[in-house]
Amino acid sequence: MKTPIYLDYSSTTPCDPRVVERMMPFFTDAFGNAASRSHAFGWTAEAAVEEAREQVAGLIGAHPKELLWTSGSTEANNLAIKGTAQMYKQKGMHLITAVTEHKAVLDPMKYLETQGYKVTWLEVDAMGHVDLKELEAAITDETILVSLMAANNEIGTMHPIREIGAICKKKGTLFHTDATQQVGKAAIDVIADNVDLLSLSAHKMYGPKGVGALYVRRKNPRVRLTSQMDGGGHERGMRSGTLNVTGIVGLGEAARICREEMDSEAAKLSILRARLQDRIYKELPDAVLNGDADNRLPHMTNISFPYVEGESLLMGIKEIAVSSGSACTSASLEPSYVLKALGLVDELAHSSIRFSLGRFTTEEEVDFAADRLITEVKRLREMSPLWEMVQEGVDLSQVKWTSH
Amino acid sequence: MAYSDKVLDHYQNPRNVGSLDKESNDVGTGVVGAPECGDVMKLQIKVSDDGKIIDAKFKTYGCGSAIASSSLATEWLKGTSVDAAAEIKNTQIVEELSLPPVKIHCSVLAEDAIKAAIDDWKAKNGKKTEEK
């Protein structure tokens, strides 16, 4: 077993070797510009791009013509949100989202607020779910778009997008979902789920970085966008710029593999995750699971280790690559806004670790990671004044702290 | 983020972790920081009759730099006088541990903890804290 062990697949995934192999010719021999209509180099590239479009469309139940290539999910989210907001301005200037969305949704929404749009920011419950009645009540005749992610990137909680889609359809507003974390990991079907716009990214599903796609519904209703990138009129004018043919081919192949292997992979990963969790809970019974234990992505778990600070814990387990909800490295000292939105008390929000398993994770790695983590949590607790206070029977919420 | 070798050393081999009897009159205890900020430091000194710090202990909830800052502080406190201890500045800790700008607050917290422990000891022993 090689260290460090990678348990941060929600941040990015390695390229599957099959993806790399498929991409290789497009760097050298088949290097043509997909927009070149006058020679074979262009035709080859275009054919490869269209094959990839079919592969990605197949994974989410879309028609190939409904996909636009982008540089990734951030661009797809920006295009979906700003593009519909500008296109449908006449209808109204209201959008709805939730406070636990990724920054690539929150920040475009905040930008729109500066442009005179009104945004409703839905709160979430302790598991990360929005209240569907509250969502429905928030939609008015002036609402252009509801943007709610399929699965959360920090805790893995899956929104009931089928129900959300049905509500949006009933109320006559568009529904965008940032499905970056879910596509390729758990099923999603834009028709059955009533999704109008969907963002996805290659590097979260064993494809290359720097490429993604936006699904834009073509009928019932036909969704139109104001382009955010103007130029040569690529992608039917909605996203100009020479296509990243190599990356798109990689995304296509990654999607093909996910479509074929997603079910068996999800089953394997949820078993490995249970193994990880069980081992941790056995030794650290006061560890706390963050998010929805049932409705969440199969490969992720986010656990708080009370009385131990996340960054110091990461420092102690440097053979294991994971993420922490603590943001002590940033100037703000604010813990994760997602965990705060769940209502976590500060000492739990600062103590969380996100484990995300993936295609190449082994049982041996999971056991090693759990054991290292348990050892380090115990060591740091011996050093923690909070742990000592709790052992002495002090209620931490009643302590008057000297904030700085 | 990259840590200096000294921070790593204190983190892996922290000096003087533990607790002294906080009820004892010759012990001064300082607890500073807050869980919401991600750092809580408890620093304790045991002072002899002639004003010398004969023991120092810490416990810290916080990042590696916070642990290292408090571990270093206890090393410096042991064997020094209360008056000299009161002169320890956070900038000395920053320099010794090569803390980056985002971690300066850890050294500030350690300085605050030293001062709080001294104040506590002084209050217990009827000594007035010097006005600054």
Side-chain angles (χ1 to χ4, degrees), chain A residues 49-57 64 67-69 235 243:
Chain A
V49 165
E50 294 317 312
E51 186 189 348
R53 222 186 282 275
E54 283 172 22
Q55 289 168 320
V56 176
L67 283 172
L68 289 181
W69 304 117
E235 299 297 275
L243 293 180

Side-chain angles (χ1 to χ4, degrees), chain B residues 8-63:
Chain B
L8 285 172
D9 180 40
H10 278 281
Y11 170 78
Q12 276 151 8
N13 312 293
R15 332 296 198 245
N16 308 306
V17 174
S19 296
L20 301 168
D21 177 10
K22 60 175 182 279
E23 306 302 330
S24 174
N25 261 342
D26 59 355
V27 170
T29 302
V31 180
V32 296
E36 68 183 63
C37 307
D39 309 284
V40 177
M41 263 181 211
K42 187 188 81 164
L43 199 143
Q44 293 182 301
I45 51 172
K46 187 180 174 93
V47 184
S48 67
D49 295 340
D50 57 354
K52 219 172 145 188
I53 297 175
I54 52 175
D55 202 2
K57 294 277 184 205
F58 86 94
K59 284 202 172 186
T60 291
Y61 162 86
C63 65

Side-chain angles (χ1 to χ4, degrees), chain A residues 29 151 294 302:
Chain A
D29 297 340
D294 301 318
N302 185 311

Side-chain angles (χ1 to χ4, degrees), chain A residues 311-312 350 376 379 383 388, chain B residues 3 11 19 36 42 60:
Chain A
E311 191 188 329
S312 64
H350 271 294
E376 199 59 23
R379 182 179 91 90
M383 245 191 265
E388 184 181 66
Chain B
Y3 297 94
Y11 170 78
S19 296
E36 68 183 63
K42 187 188 81 164
T60 291

